[in-house]
Amino acid sequence: MPDSEQNNPPASAAAKPMPKRYGIGLNVAMQVLLALALFAAVNRLNYYHYWRWDLSPSQDYTLSPATLKYLDSLTRDVQINIVFGRDSKVYGEVQSLLEEYHLHGRQRIKVRSIDPVRDIERAEQLKADTGLSLAQNGVLIRCGANKRFITEEELVVREKGTSTNKQIIEFRGEDAISSALISVVEGRVRKFYYVVGKGSRSGLGQSDSYNAAIDLGRQQNFEVIQVNLSEVSHIPTDADGLMILGSRYDFSEREIVMLNNYWQSKRAGIFIMLDPGGETARLNAFLTANGLHPRGDRVLMAESTSTGPKKEFTVLGEFTKEVPFIRHLTSSAITLAGQTESLEIIPENISLKEQSISVKPLILAAPRYWGEKQFLEELPVADEEDTLPPIYVAASIERGALGDETQRADSSRMVVVSNATLLDKQTMLAVSRDFASAGLNWLMNRESFIGIPAKSKHSYRIQLTNKQHELIFWITSITLPGAVLGFGFMVWASRRAA
């Protein structure tokens, strides 16, 4: 064969078309562009149309119906600043909670996080704008010229004790933030006047009640102001409510007239904690005239045991189901320390009907308790002069309570508890505070925000054996990375073979 024939390929081979690489590249590029367009379209749809589920055991990230209803009706823009150091134990929960406010606020609520340690410039600017020191962690809520700073301690409930490092047992963020939101949007701070000058079973008891009232005021956004009725001619006209907590001495006739005049006005609110050992005949007569009679006995339980007589004054009670503003507490029990007297609910008579007065029990003592007149005896026994179950130890009174719910905002309301230790620092339980908060909100005609629950904090510990630790190490450090490496090698090998 000549050399020229050897060097020249056959004509059929020269005419065979070669793959067009630019066509393949264009095809791949189109596929990539289509994939990116599809990805962008799916993400845009996901941004505007999505579903969210709260899978936490205690629904930590779900707002109550009351808050959602208020956010849905919000008509003003609100700016919320999370002024928290990142090392705070509740920072994550506060941020997650306020994200829910932002998501449900219909673009009315703007949330911004500021770390005063890392974001010094923004923190200083916020101080200059608001005039607040921001010396501690908290949440700043602003609406127009109105502002409210909620400290970290107002958002949590810590365990009792003298330890400096108390553990957080409840997170009350939604309760405090929703109440503050109402305050700044309304632009008006409610006022409760705390009656002083009537003594107390002890100086410490009076201080505890007053401090507890101030704490409740911070949480529910009302101001607590002391008033001595002997020094004024009438109860202040700007009073949204009156607190009479554990008075030891009686009101004068002039003061009872002042109290009655206030009660006869529209939208009066009175929260009373009776001291069974106090000498308050005129105050008791005022309550009796409004359908609730303090009997002056002591609610107790007594029995003979193998170790001798046993007499118990601490009362275990339950909440009634008939009254809406404590319905969220009906599954809880309440303990009243110290001494408690029984309350008689007077049947409706002509006088009460003329004033449209309605009296309803709030707390019922457990069946083993009774109202004892001879409570100083070593082993008292229930007899004819005593009061047998049912024993009521708290009740509500409403004057002007019409059947039409739209007219009930103008009714006068009263909550009476026949125990002076309800808010004592050493004996107060979370349920006692919730009951007081519900009662005060009811007095202020703010029923829609009654029952925003606190979220309990739980610590979980997992015990692992050495064998389980070793198994976790092999799975996370060897098996899973090895599986990914092996899969990658298989893909590389298949592409090389092609």
Side-chain angles (χ1 to χ4, degrees):
M1 180 181 294
D3 292 341
S4 60
E5 292 184 6
Q6 293 179 357
N7 293 333
N8 295 328
S12 59
K16 187 178 181 180
M18 298 295 291
K20 296 182 179 180
R21 293 185 178 275
Y22 69 88
I24 296 174
L26 181 61
N27 187 30
V28 171
M30 290 296 294
Q31 291 179 13
V32 170
L33 288 175
L34 288 173
L36 290 174
L38 181 62
F39 178 77
V42 170
N43 274 273
R44 185 170 181 81
L45 286 172
N46 182 61
Y47 181 80
Y48 289 104
H49 306 282
Y50 55 88
W51 293 269
R52 304 171 73 247
W53 291 275
D54 183 357
L55 301 179
S56 59
S58 57
Q59 298 291 286
D60 294 337
Y61 308 104
T62 300
L63 297 179
S64 67
T67 298
L68 293 174
K69 181 179 178 181
Y70 185 78
L71 293 176
D72 190 55
S73 64
L74 202 60
T75 58
R76 301 182 64 187
D77 292 339
V78 178
Q79 176 71 48
I80 301 180
N81 293 100
I82 308 173
V83 188
F84 264 80
R86 303 297 169 87
D87 57 344
S88 170
K89 293 182 178 180
V90 296
Y91 170 75
E93 287 176 276
V94 172
Q95 186 179 45
S96 298
L97 176 65
L98 289 172
E99 284 177 0
E100 294 297 312
Y101 279 79
H102 171 69
L103 289 169
H104 293 283
R106 298 185 303 109
Q107 307 300 317
R108 289 287 186 182
I109 293 183
K110 305 294 188 297
V111 178
R112 185 175 66 164
S113 183
I114 297 177
D115 186 337
V117 176
R118 296 178 175 88
D119 304 332
I120 298 177
E121 184 176 345
R122 287 204 297 168
E124 291 299 324
Q125 183 61 47
L126 189 61
K127 290 180 185 179
D129 293 342
T130 61
L132 299 173
S133 63
L134 305 180
Q136 54 184 317
N137 291 337
V139 176
L140 175 63
I141 303 178
R142 292 190 290 173
C143 180
N146 305 319
K147 58 181 179 290
R148 169 83 162 86
F149 186 72
I150 310 168
T151 65
E152 180 177 358
E153 290 304 307
E154 294 177 61
L155 300 172
V156 300
V157 177
R158 297 186 183 274
E159 62 183 0
K160 295 181 180 180
T162 57
S163 172
T164 56
N165 188 25
K166 297 179 183 178
Q167 296 296 315
I168 297 172
I169 57 176
E170 284 185 351
F171 180 65
R172 303 184 61 85
E174 184 184 350
D175 192 3
I177 290 169
S178 293
S179 298
L181 191 61
I182 293 175
S183 177
V184 297
V185 172
E186 288 181 351
R188 172 177 173 267
V189 178
R190 306 293 184 96
K191 293 182 180 180
F192 267 82
Y193 283 85
Y194 181 95
V195 175
V196 297
K198 297 300 174 185
S200 175
R201 65 193 186 284
S202 68
L204 182 60
Q206 186 173 22
S207 175
D208 277 357
S209 296
Y210 180 62
N211 290 333
I214 291 177
D215 288 341
L216 287 170
R218 290 196 191 102
Q219 292 174 5
Q220 304 301 326
N221 285 283
F222 61 82
E223 185 180 3
V224 179
I225 305 170
Q226 292 187 354
V227 61
N228 191 326
L229 297 184
S230 64
E231 298 176 353
V232 297
S233 59
H234 61 274
I235 292 172
T237 56
D238 62 350
D240 290 287
L242 196 67
M243 291 183 174
I244 305 172
L245 306 185
S247 294
R248 192 75 174 174
Y249 306 117
D250 206 2
F251 287 51
S252 68
E253 292 184 4
R254 185 183 72 88
E255 292 168 345
I256 288 294
V257 170
M258 291 167 51
L259 184 62
N260 193 60
N261 289 340
Y262 173 68
W263 173 245
Q264 295 297 326
S265 65
K266 285 187 176 182
R267 304 186 70 171
I270 307 176
F271 192 93
I272 299 177
M273 286 166 39
L274 295 172
D275 183 351
E279 300 175 358
T280 56
R282 293 190 184 93
L283 179 60
N284 291 351
F286 166 76
L287 293 175
T288 302
N290 286 282
L292 190 66
H293 174 61
R295 290 193 175 100
D297 54 15
R298 297 295 185 275
V299 179
L300 54 77
M301 184 276 293
E303 60 183 352
S304 179
T305 66
S306 58
T307 58
K310 177 184 176 183
K311 185 168 59 174
E312 182 179 316
F313 285 98
T314 298
V315 178
L316 179 65
E318 59 185 35
F319 297 96
T320 60
K321 300 179 181 179
E322 292 79 14
V323 184
F325 76 84
I326 58 166
R327 196 163 289 159
H328 64 291
L329 298 173
T330 52
S331 61
S332 304
I334 187 171
T335 301
L336 301 177
Q339 294 189 357
T340 308
E341 63 182 313
S342 65
L343 298 173
E344 177 188 1
I345 296 178
I346 300 173
E348 284 192 6
N349 54 41
I350 296 176
S351 175
L352 296 178
K353 286 183 178 180
E354 288 177 349
Q355 301 178 71
S356 298
I357 289 179
S358 172
V359 185
K360 295 180 179 179
L362 299 178
I363 301 177
L364 176 69
R368 66 176 181 270
Y369 295 93
W370 72 88
E372 176 62 52
K373 290 288 186 180
Q374 306 301 324
F375 54 87
L376 295 178
E377 292 182 357
E378 185 177 8
L379 184 60
V381 178
D383 51 32
E384 293 182 356
E385 68 173 352
D386 299 322
T387 305
L388 300 179
I391 302 295
Y392 300 118
V393 295
S396 66
I397 305 174
E398 190 170 11
R399 189 188 64 80
L402 303 176
D404 184 0
E405 290 290 335
T406 60
Q407 302 297 322
R408 299 191 72 169
D410 289 331
S411 64
S412 292
R413 299 175 175 182
M414 195 184 315
V415 173
V416 182
V417 184
S418 59
N419 179 284
T421 68
L422 180 74
L423 300 178
D424 277 14
K425 184 177 181 180
Q426 299 301 320
T427 59
M428 181 176 63
L429 303 174
V431 67
S432 304
R433 182 189 57 248
D434 290 343
F435 167 71
S437 296
L440 292 168
N441 273 309
W442 180 67
L443 296 181
M444 292 186 288
N445 294 282
R446 275 180 20 185
E447 291 95 328
S448 60
F449 273 81
I450 292 173
I452 295 178
K455 303 295 193 305
S456 298
K457 299 281 290 180
H458 301 285
S459 296
Y460 301 97
R461 186 170 181 173
I462 300 175
Q463 298 286 352
L464 298 176
T465 64
N466 290 334
K467 187 176 181 180
Q468 290 170 329
H469 276 288
E470 185 178 350
L471 179 62
I472 291 174
F473 169 77
W474 279 99
I475 291 174
T476 58
S477 302
I478 305 297
T479 306
L480 292 180
V484 173
L485 182 62
F487 180 74
F489 179 77
M490 289 171 59
V491 172
W492 175 80
S494 64
R495 289 182 175 178
R496 285 286 292 180

